[in-house]
Amino acid sequence: DIQMTQSPSTLSASVGDTITITCRASQSISNWLAWLQQKPGKPPKVLIYKASILESGVPSRFSGSESGTEFTLTISGLQPDDFATYYCQQYNSWTFGQGTKVEIK
Amino acid sequence: QVQLVQSGAEVKKPGSSVKVSCRAPGDTLSNYGVSWVRQAPGQGFEWMGGIIPIFGTTNYAQKFQGRVTLTTDESANTIYLELSSLRPEDTAIYYCARERTLYSGYAAIWGQGTLVTVSS
């Protein structure tokens, strides 16, 4: 199985901050990488697919990038609605990172 | 806007089976790849399997081989997950997820989730 190692597990930040979450794949997944946001008691919502393409309706403060097997989600100018848990997911064979909880500092 | 609607919460005894449904009102679910993912309480996600009804193909995670079955009722526009030989560690929220377009691959649309509790 392809392992996805996500970091950090928790991130404390303030409104307006720019934050970065990283995911590393154990082997090549091309760009078959999505970023998901989940809020308590809700299903996940896809933010980005193919490593860097913004899903329709997602604010432009979210962005994704890739470098080999390392993938990054950046939120520029954190908004109150962004405090949530974020997961990376490789959809070559469907495995997920362990999640990053973004909490208010 | 397309949405996936799942069946309600279930409480099951160890050793029994559960069948969870996923339907798409106003959409033709069989034209897309649909996967099932579960999330144990306070935990991350685990892929269980996927189905492309229009091609009649299924693919199961090795961990669940022999215990999970995905089926389709095209007349009801519904996809089912059946998990057998339930154990307490199968307690989780089970989600169906549809890809955006056929073979796009990523889970663009998620059901609301179905809580399955396995307890004696």
Side-chain angles (χ1 to χ4, degrees):
Chain A
D1 287 0
I2 300 174
Q3 306 301 317
M4 303 301 293
T5 303
Q6 186 174 341
S7 61
S9 55
T10 307
L11 193 159
S12 297
S14 302
V15 172
D17 285 352
T18 293
I19 65 168
T20 297
I21 299 168
T22 299
C23 216
R24 180 173 282 109
S26 60
Q27 63 190 75
S28 174
I29 57 169
S30 185
N31 60 356
W32 303 119
L33 191 284
W35 288 99
L36 310 174
Q37 177 195 65
Q38 188 181 34
K39 296 182 178 178
K42 299 291 187 182
K45 169 188 172 184
V46 65
L47 302 173
I48 286 169
Y49 64 98
K50 268 197 175 182
S52 62
I53 301 176
L54 210 60
E55 177 74 354
S56 176
V58 174
S60 60
R61 63 180 179 271
F62 293 91
S63 63
S65 64
E66 63 174 295
S67 177
T69 58
E70 185 166 296
F71 300 85
T72 300
L73 171 70
T74 299
I75 309 175
S76 303
L78 206 60
Q79 296 300 301
D81 191 48
D82 300 337
F83 292 96
T85 302
Y86 294 84
Y87 295 90
C88 62
Q89 181 214 355
Q90 64 84 9
Y91 51 96
N92 185 22
S93 57
W94 280 63
T95 55
F96 297 80
Q98 304 94 315
T100 296
K101 183 178 182 180
V102 177
E103 57 183 28
I104 300 173
K105 185 186 286 184
Chain B
Q1 181 162 339
V2 178
Q3 59 174 342
L4 300 181
V5 179
Q6 298 183 221
S7 49
E10 303 261 12
V11 179
K12 294 292 183 178
K13 300 285 189 190
S16 66
S17 297
V18 68
K19 194 168 186 177
V20 182
S21 68
C22 173
R23 62 185 178 90
D27 192 33
T28 306
L29 202 52
S30 60
N31 291 343
Y32 303 92
V34 174
S35 284
W36 287 85
V37 172
R38 74 180 188 181
Q39 186 176 33
Q43 303 297 311
F45 296 100
E46 184 173 35
W47 178 74
M48 301 180 70
I51 184 169
I52 306 179
I54 196 170
F55 298 131
T57 56
T58 54
N59 186 22
Y60 300 119
Q62 190 169 9
K63 174 178 178 176
F64 299 102
Q65 287 275 2
R67 280 213 301 147
V68 67
T69 306
L70 303 185
T71 55
T72 303
D73 181 345
E74 294 197 22
S75 64
N77 198 29
T78 300
I79 289 174
Y80 299 93
L81 163 80
E82 185 166 20
L83 185 63
S84 62
S85 302
L86 289 168
R87 331 174 231 244
E89 53 266 37
D90 292 318
T91 295
I93 298 173
Y94 289 75
Y95 294 101
C96 60
R98 200 207 86 177
E99 56 185 356
R100 173 63 70 194
T101 57
L102 188 61
Y103 294 133
S104 61
Y106 71 100
I109 302 163
W110 292 68
Q112 84 276 20
T114 297
L115 175 62
V116 175
T117 303
V118 183
S119 174
S120 53

